[in-house]
Every structure is written in structure tokens, then in C-alpha cells.
């Protein structure tokens, strides 16, 4: 990834921006300050303040971040997230918006090649319609640039965020666990009466 980073720094050379590399093995204080938990990690700083990041060897996400902060992308139309459906989260902007707008966010991490993900996806969509106390989102691990995706090791995985802080998670296509999760964090008083668990349980698949 390092040669690609060098290539992008040359392609998007701009007097307003400075492209730097940090050796985390020698600069533990910097890694701790900016919460670097996986490598490679790319961060955009404005006046020493972190405003954006991309984790993992995500060349597309890195280039998009560079173009975004150099003003080379068209203006982004803000999204509105309300309960009742499953939203696809593609980038850090989507992630920041949904976690800012919603107290409770239930996240499904999946991939197109993941069989268990396809098995439990209809149940997740069903719960999104029935449980109105949270916003349900999903993100494709192969394309996602949201920070939590870099730490996912098996699919499907599910997490709950309360006021931007993770409060619950589990791995695998396990309907009973998913039901308990959404009843705890996304249920209204009558939601639990309408839920069931009728699909086969499947073990999680390791991320390739």
C-alpha cells in the first residue's frame, strides 16, 4: 500500500496539503493520541484536529478521502436516517450522519460471498421494519471505509451503538442472538410480541 500512497501524494500534490508517513513502531505517543488500532490507517488532520480517516488497504476509500478534502468531489447531499428500513452505509460520511442522528444504531457487517450473511439478511430486514427504537444499517466489509469495519474478523457480525459508543455485539448467523439484541436495544413495548426465530443457525465465516 505504501507505493500506492506515494503515487496518490504525487497525483494530488497541492500546496494546501502535506502528505506524511508515520512509523507507529517508533511513535507510540502519536498512535495513542489518534487511536490507531490497525494498519494501515490513514487520517486527515485540519489544524491538528482529526476530521476523517480510512482504515485498511482501501485504495478507493483513501483516494476518495483525499479528493474530498481537496474539494475535488461534487457537494454531498446529506442523508436522513429514520427507523423502518435497512440503510446501506458506504463511507465515513454516512457513518457520521447516522450515528449523529440516531441514539441507537444496529449494524450488520456482511460480504457478497458470505453464505451465512445471505441466510440471516431477510431476518435483519424484517426486524428493521418491526423494531422502531433503532436505526438498522448494513455495510459491505469488502468496500466499507467506516472505522469499525477494520476490526471485524468474521461474518456476519452485528454491533449496537448507543450515542456513537459500542454497547453490544456478536458474530454469526444466529437468529436467537439477533432477536435478543434488537429486543434489548431497538424494541418498543409491542415489538417483541411479533418476532420469531425460524431460520437455520450458521457459524460465522472468517474474513478472507
Amino acid at each position: 500500500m505504501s507505493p500506492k500512497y506515494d503515487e496518490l501524494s504525487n497525483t494530488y500534490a497541492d500546496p494546501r496539503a502535506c502528505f506524511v508517513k508515520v512509523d507507529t513502531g517508533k511513535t507510540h505517543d502519536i498512535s495513542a493520541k489518534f487511536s490507531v488500532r490497525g494498519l494501515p490507517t490513514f487520517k486527515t488532520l485540519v489544524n491538528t484536529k482529526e476530521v476523517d480517516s480510512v482504515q485498511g488497504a482501501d485504495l478507493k476509500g483513501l483516494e476518495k478521502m483525499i479528493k474530498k478534502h481537496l474539494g475535488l468531489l461534487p457537494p454531498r447531499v446529506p442523508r436522513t436516517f429514520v427507523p423502518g428500513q435497512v440503510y446501506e452505509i458506504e463511507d465515513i460520511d454516512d457513518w457520521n450522519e447516522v450515528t449523529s442522528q440516531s441514539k441507537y444504531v444496529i449494524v450488520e457487517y456482511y460480504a457478497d460471498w458470505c453464505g451465512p450473511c445471505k441466510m440471516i439478511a431477510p431476518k435483519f430486514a424484517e426486524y428493521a421494519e418491526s423494531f422502531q427504537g433503532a436505526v438498522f444499517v448494513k455495510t459491505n466489509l469488502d468496500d466499507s471505509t467506516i472505522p469499525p469495519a477494520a476490526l471485524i474478523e468474521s461474518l456476519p457480525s452485528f454491533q449496537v451503538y448507543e450515542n456513537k459508543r459500542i454497547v453490544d455485539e456478536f458474530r454469526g448467523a444466529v437468529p436467537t442472538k439477533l432477536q435478543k439484541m434488537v429486543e434489548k436495544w431497538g424494541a418498543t413495548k409491542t415489538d417483541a410480541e411479533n418476532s420469531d426465530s425460524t431460520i437455520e443457525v450458521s457459524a460465522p465465516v472468517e474474513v478472507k
Side-chain angles (χ1 to χ4, degrees), residues 36-191:
V36 176
R37 298 181 179 179
L39 297 175
T41 292
F42 305 91
K43 294 181 179 288
T44 297
L45 306 181
V46 177
N47 295 326
T48 72
K49 180 180 180 180
E50 180 183 340
V51 296
D52 210 346
S53 66
V54 172
Q55 292 185 323
D58 181 5
L59 181 61
K60 183 173 69 174
L62 173 60
E63 184 170 18
K64 182 177 180 180
M65 182 175 70
I66 293 171
K67 293 171 69 175
K68 169 187 172 183
H69 293 285
L70 290 179
L72 302 178
L73 293 177
R76 185 177 186 278
V77 178
R79 299 176 66 184
T80 300
F81 299 89
V82 295
Q85 67 183 81
V86 179
Y87 296 90
E88 183 77 35
I89 300 298
E90 298 180 352
D91 56 32
I92 188 66
D93 292 319
D94 287 345
W95 179 250
N96 288 339
E97 285 178 349
V98 71
T99 54
S100 295
Q101 294 175 24
S102 313
K103 179 178 181 179
Y104 295 107
V105 179
I106 301 178
V107 190
E108 174 190 12
Y109 298 90
Y110 76 97
D112 293 335
W113 48 264
C114 171
C117 299
K118 296 177 181 178
M119 181 185 301
I120 203 167
K123 182 60 66 175
F124 189 73
E126 176 186 323
Y127 286 152
E129 294 180 3
S130 302
F131 289 80
Q132 300 292 307
V135 170
F136 287 65
V137 302
K138 63 179 182 179
T139 188
N140 189 327
L141 199 64
D142 289 336
D143 301 320
S144 180
T145 61
I146 68 172
L151 303 178
I152 299 300
E153 298 179 346
S154 62
L155 296 173
S157 286
F158 300 88
Q159 295 179 335
V160 178
Y161 284 80
E162 179 183 9
N163 295 324
K164 302 183 180 182
R165 181 176 63 89
I166 187 169
V167 292
D168 200 357
E169 65 181 324
F170 78 90
R171 300 180 297 174
V174 187
T176 51
K177 287 186 177 181
L178 180 58
Q179 179 178 332
K180 289 180 180 179
M181 173 182 278
V182 298
E183 286 179 348
K184 180 177 181 180
W185 301 105
T188 60
K189 291 183 179 180
T190 58
D191 285 335

Side-chain angles (χ1 to χ4, degrees), residues 18-31:
C18 179
F19 292 80
V20 301
K21 295 180 181 179
V22 176
D23 186 342
T24 58
K26 300 178 180 179
T27 54
H28 298 291
D29 54 337
I30 295 179
S31 301

